[in-house]
Amino acid sequence: MRKGADKMHKDQETRLELVRALIQEKRKTTLAYSQYLAKNREYAPGEQLYMREVHFVIAVGPGEGHTMSELAEKLDVTQGAVSQLAARMEKKGFVQRRKAAGDRRQTVATLTAKGEALYREHTLYDRARYQEISEMLGRFSERELRRLWEYENLMGAAFTKENRRNVT
């Protein structure tokens, strides 16, 4: 009986060590990604932009545009953050804002010609990067990729829950 308990304890310790190592790798990846997001890049010729700004343009997309509320939901940020991004991107000439026809309290952001050009360029850029990453992850089966996605989803939920718990 003792031998079985020892094996179970060893298995549990091995699993905990693996989880610890996984969390350490998650931390490294998160830091690298955070640094990547914070870097100003030339996403459009002669234009230094942050990834958040480019993602704002992608969220607005071509067409009739979106309200600040819709964009906040789409980008998972506050309406204040979206309003600041909209003002910055309007100043840079990528979007224009106007009052919604049906509800003057709502502001709608639409892309300018410059914004549409950035949208097209970045959509192609994203597709090429996704292809590169897909090839890099080629050794993983579709099932394994779904499990990785599930892991990221669970970790995101855990950290979101912890962040809410620690709000003062």
Side-chain angles (χ1 to χ4, degrees), residues 41-57:
R41 290 184 177 73
E42 190 172 318
Y43 285 102
E47 293 283 348
Q48 293 292 312
L49 300 169
Y50 291 98
M51 188 178 282
R52 287 188 198 290
E53 294 171 329
V54 175
H55 286 171
F56 178 79
V57 168

Side-chain angles (χ1 to χ4, degrees), residues 20 32 48 58 68 75 83 92 118-119 123 133 137 163:
R20 186 195 64 74
Q48 293 292 312
I58 298 300
M68 296 298 114
L75 294 168
S83 293
K92 292 181 179 189
L118 176 61
Y119 177 89
T123 301
I133 292 169
L137 297 173
N163 288 340

Side-chain angles (χ1 to χ4, degrees), residues 49-158:
L49 300 169
Y50 291 98
M51 188 178 282
R52 287 188 198 290
E53 294 171 329
V54 175
H55 286 171
F56 178 79
V57 168
I58 298 300
V60 172
E64 296 299 311
H66 296 282
T67 66
M68 296 298 114
S69 301
E70 292 168 338
L71 291 167
E73 187 175 327
K74 214 174 188 184
L75 294 168
D76 197 23
V77 297
T78 66
Q79 283 193 29
V82 163
S83 293
Q84 288 178 5
L85 269 170
R88 197 162 52 239
M89 295 310 284
E90 186 172 43
K91 190 180 280 188
K92 292 181 179 189
F94 291 97
V95 300
Q96 58 188 17
R97 295 180 291 172
R98 61 175 165 70
K99 292 295 180 186
D103 183 351
R104 306 289 296 159
R105 296 171 298 171
Q106 293 283 336
T107 301
V108 175
T110 56
L111 296 181
T112 62
K114 183 177 177 180
E116 287 185 5
L118 176 61
Y119 177 89
R120 285 189 304 275
E121 282 181 44
H122 196 72
T123 301
L124 293 172
Y125 170 86
D126 273 349
R127 182 156 177 81
R129 296 301 78 75
Y130 293 152
Q131 184 62 42
E132 284 177 19
I133 292 169
S134 177
E135 290 168 12
M136 184 177 73
L137 297 173
R139 66 181 176 197
F140 294 101
S141 69
E142 186 176 322
R143 183 173 186 266
E144 289 170 322
L145 288 174
R146 289 184 192 282
R147 297 293 287 178
L148 288 170
W149 174 85
E150 186 179 340
Y151 160 77
E152 288 295 329
N153 194 290
L154 287 169
M155 293 303 291

